[in-house]
Amino acid sequence: MTSSGQRLALAIAGVLRRAWADAGPPIVPVDVDLARWVERLIEGGVAGLAWWRLRTTELATRPELEPLRAAFQHHALTAARQERDLPHLLGHFNAVGIEPLLFKGWSLARLYPHRALRPFGDFDLLVHEAEAERARAVLRSLGADLQSRADVDTATTLARYLPDRTEAELFDRARPETLDGARFWTLAPEDHLRLVTLHQLHHGAWRPLWLCDVALMVESLPPGFDWTLCLGGDARLSEGVLASVALAHELLGAALPQGTPVVTVPGWLRRAVFHGWVHGYESMPPSLYELRKLGWAGALKAIRARWPDPVSATVHLRAPFRAIPRPAVQMAECVRRAADFVRRDLRWRVGLDAQLATVGKGVVP
Amino acid sequence: MAPSSGFVPRRRPTGILVEQLEGEVLLYVEPTHRAFCLNPAAARVWESIDGARDVSSIARTAGLDSELVGSTLRELGEAGLLVEVPDLPRVDLSRRRLVRAGLVAIPLILAITVPRAAEAASACTVGLPSGPACTPTRPCCSGICNESLGTCG
């Protein structure tokens, strides 16, 4: 990473460091490009949190920071709307005998000291596999607006983050809650911390908001939090959980409760997270199916853009967080993706041939 | 447009979310998904609207000049916050200049606009329950697609 990129990443970490607590004015490097800094904070989902920290400082009067204030105000309004609608949404599920389990978004937002600090676009709802179709039907019946603000997941769809937790385990350990008379569940803190840390690694940890969530969660762990339970399951993924917690402590100043297993943050992970914070999510270039149309230069560019980031590559392959150099893990992930692409391509072609054959047999007169 | 003489403004009865934040009033118009921030002077005008007071009565209650109140009501109407848009004259002021000069008694209604990214939780939605299904031509960000379900691994 360039020195200006490094400065920008440090400035992002600087403003977010204990921003949820009364941490006093942040130290912002004088040579950082304010407009770019603000843009990265907005993209990273932490504009509200940054404004919260900066609002009483002299820096807050700078016109470059106006978008942070606007984002803070916007988050306040959308959060109020979500809070108003949640009991209504849950009530409709309850009416058909479903008590969904809320995770991520809303259940993380309530850990923050102000509702405008943690934006969330939708309610993440986990239901039993057997209830999924009914739950989706309930959502559809509520109209497009509410439907677009809620997602129904099952343990199967959540397995991309928690492959080592069964539906029974998640629901058996869940905690019941009520909100304005509506009944719902929340994940056990041990499962939720595992989910939140692995979710951010799965997506390359490019959003600083996700690391703030980890910091807030760690600081809010209840007495008697069972680390053995949280770290049970796939040992490589558990390494990722601990690395995320250590990163939240190191970069954001999260206070680790007594008994938290302490690990050192691998250097590559810190660099990769900084890279993600500075460059954001890099959307996929044209599909590999269009390679022939792209020409050599375009094809090379498309392939290069698919070079996996080290964080998600490590988690997808369940590679160790230490010992192996990251380029080797990234290369292995690249090979896995290429094999997956070829397999998909073949299956697609075979499927297409079968469809064409059906049409050829005169199904359509 | 509603006629100006003796105009009695009424707030839009539904679809407006109000939030007080650090001395300002924030309003969200749900049908249009537009958000506005009222400074303390504009908030006083907004809070004085009770469906019975006319412009001059609102001006007295809010402690503001009638002409400014009329202009503010017009802006509130145009923002979709009132039942009717009043046909009241605008006060042509260089507000930015006045605010900079510290004249905070000028009612200000500012549209809140933020880039979409500030709202979205995740920019990568292909194959996720909220996003489009992954297909051979629309691959997952992770590169792992369960084609039968259209979800990413």
Side-chain angles (χ1 to χ4, degrees):
Chain A
M1 192 187 287
T2 61
S3 61
S4 66
Q6 176 86 5
R7 276 201 305 275
L8 184 57
L10 288 172
I12 293 169
V15 72
L16 296 178
R17 195 171 178 84
R18 302 202 55 71
W20 57 90
D22 193 10
I27 301 162
V28 179
V30 286
D31 50 356
V32 81
D33 175 351
L34 276 188
R36 178 127 171 81
W37 183 55
V38 166
E39 177 209 304
R40 296 317 312 151
L41 291 168
I42 291 172
E43 184 82 14
V46 286
L49 199 53
W51 177 256
W52 180 256
R53 179 94 189 269
L54 293 165
R55 70 194 195 287
T56 54
T57 68
E58 207 165 288
L59 207 54
T61 58
R62 297 279 296 263
E64 294 97 324
L65 266 66
E66 187 52 37
L68 295 183
R69 188 174 112 102
F72 178 72
Q73 293 174 332
H74 200 263
H75 294 340
L77 282 170
T78 49
R81 184 166 174 249
Q82 299 283 52
E83 276 176 30
R84 182 200 61 190
D85 292 341
L86 182 57
H88 168 69
L89 176 74
L90 293 171
H92 280 276
F93 280 97
N94 288 174
V96 295
I98 298 173
E99 293 181 11
L101 191 157
L102 277 163
F103 64 98
K104 290 204 294 160
W106 176 82
S107 33
L108 292 172
R110 64 182 179 163
L111 300 177
Y112 287 75
H114 192 285
R115 55 159 61 140
L117 302 185
R118 207 293 182 188
F120 62 98
D122 44 31
F123 297 110
D124 294 301
L125 306 161
L126 182 71
V127 299
H128 290 278
E129 202 76 57
E131 298 169 337
E133 264 322 298
R134 243 177 336 130
R136 292 191 180 110
V138 168
L139 261 193
R140 282 193 295 274
S141 73
L142 297 177
D145 176 42
L146 214 45
Q147 197 184 340
S148 70
R149 289 191 280 138
D151 277 335
V152 170
D153 266 299
T154 62
T156 309
T157 55
L158 217 58
R160 62 186 181 273
Y161 309 125
L162 288 177
D164 46 12
R165 296 288 186 272
T166 64
E167 177 182 290
E169 285 170 337
L170 294 175
F171 279 95
D172 286 353
R173 293 197 282 256
R175 316 278 166 93
E177 291 198 41
T178 57
L179 186 70
D180 295 346
R183 295 178 309 279
F184 67 102
W185 296 76
T186 49
L187 282 175
E190 289 84 359
D191 291 323
H192 205 198
L193 180 62
R194 190 173 180 88
L195 170 68
V196 169
T197 50
L198 294 178
H199 167 265
Q200 73 149 349
L201 298 175
H202 187 92
H203 291 290
W206 71 268
R207 283 200 119 192
L209 178 68
W210 294 332
L211 197 62
C212 293
D213 288 341
V214 175
L216 264 290
M217 282 193 89
V218 168
E219 290 197 356
S220 319
L221 293 181
F225 180 84
D226 187 347
W227 279 103
T228 314
L229 183 61
C230 177
L231 301 174
D234 188 291
R236 296 273 167 77
L237 294 179
S238 299
E239 246 191 292
V241 174
L242 284 180
S244 291
V245 169
L247 201 62
H249 172 63
E250 184 187 296
L251 297 184
L252 303 178
L256 303 183
Q258 216 175 4
T260 306
V262 179
V263 298
T264 52
V265 178
W268 68 265
L269 179 60
R270 190 184 307 111
R271 285 192 297 277
V273 167
F274 274 2
H275 182 274
W277 287 8
V278 169
H279 297 281
Y281 173 71
E282 289 164 31
S283 58
M284 277 287 181
S287 164
L288 287 177
Y289 285 92
E290 293 165 28
L291 282 185
R292 271 168 289 186
K293 293 183 211 159
L294 295 175
W296 279 109
L300 277 176
K301 205 174 156 191
I303 291 169
R304 201 172 137 199
R306 280 175 167 74
W307 182 245
D309 72 88
V311 183
S312 62
T314 301
V315 178
H316 291 155
L317 287 179
R318 300 197 202 172
F321 273 67
R322 288 160 219 283
I324 304 174
R326 279 321 100 175
V329 176
Q330 289 166 275
M331 177 60 80
E333 170 68 353
C334 226
V335 170
R336 187 196 61 77
R337 286 190 191 181
D340 189 58
F341 171 75
V342 171
R343 185 182 54 79
R344 268 195 336 244
D345 184 48
L346 283 174
R347 194 185 294 174
W348 183 68
R349 280 168 204 276
V350 169
L352 193 67
D353 286 347
Q355 279 180 20
L356 289 173
T358 311
V359 174
K361 279 177 188 165
V363 173
V364 181
Chain B
M1 289 243 180
S4 58
S5 62
F7 175 68
V8 177
R10 283 176 300 149
R11 294 182 192 176
R12 196 190 179 111
T14 55
I16 293 183
L17 204 101
V18 185
E19 181 79 356
Q20 306 268 352
L21 192 68
E22 301 187 318
E24 294 175 322
V25 170
L26 309 180
L27 300 163
Y28 187 82
V29 187
E30 294 193 78
T32 57
H33 296 291
R34 290 171 73 199
F36 300 92
C37 171
L38 311 186
N39 76 345
R44 288 205 302 277
V45 174
W46 172 254
E47 279 152 12
S48 304
I49 300 171
D50 61 359
R53 292 191 181 108
D54 64 7
V55 178
S56 51
S57 172
I58 290 172
R60 275 197 303 279
T61 311
L64 291 165
D65 172 75
S66 282
E67 202 188 351
L68 277 177
V69 168
S71 182
T72 305
L73 290 172
R74 183 180 177 132
E75 276 192 61
L76 289 170
E78 286 169 351
L81 295 159
L82 301 179
V83 173
E84 291 169 289
V85 182
D87 186 16
L88 294 165
R90 283 178 201 280
V91 176
D92 188 19
L93 298 167
S94 172
R95 292 184 159 182
R96 204 173 282 276
R97 187 169 55 80
L98 289 167
V99 170
R100 252 191 241 127
L103 298 175
V104 289
I106 303 289
L108 288 178
I109 302 164
L110 302 170
I112 302 171
T113 46
V114 286
R116 286 294 299 170
E119 232 187 320
S122 174
C124 180
T125 58
V126 171
L128 298 182
S130 55
C134 61
T135 62
T137 52
R138 191 161 50 194
C140 296
C141 304
S142 63
I144 314 162
C145 177
N146 181 336
E147 284 160 47
S148 56
L149 294 172
T151 57
C152 295

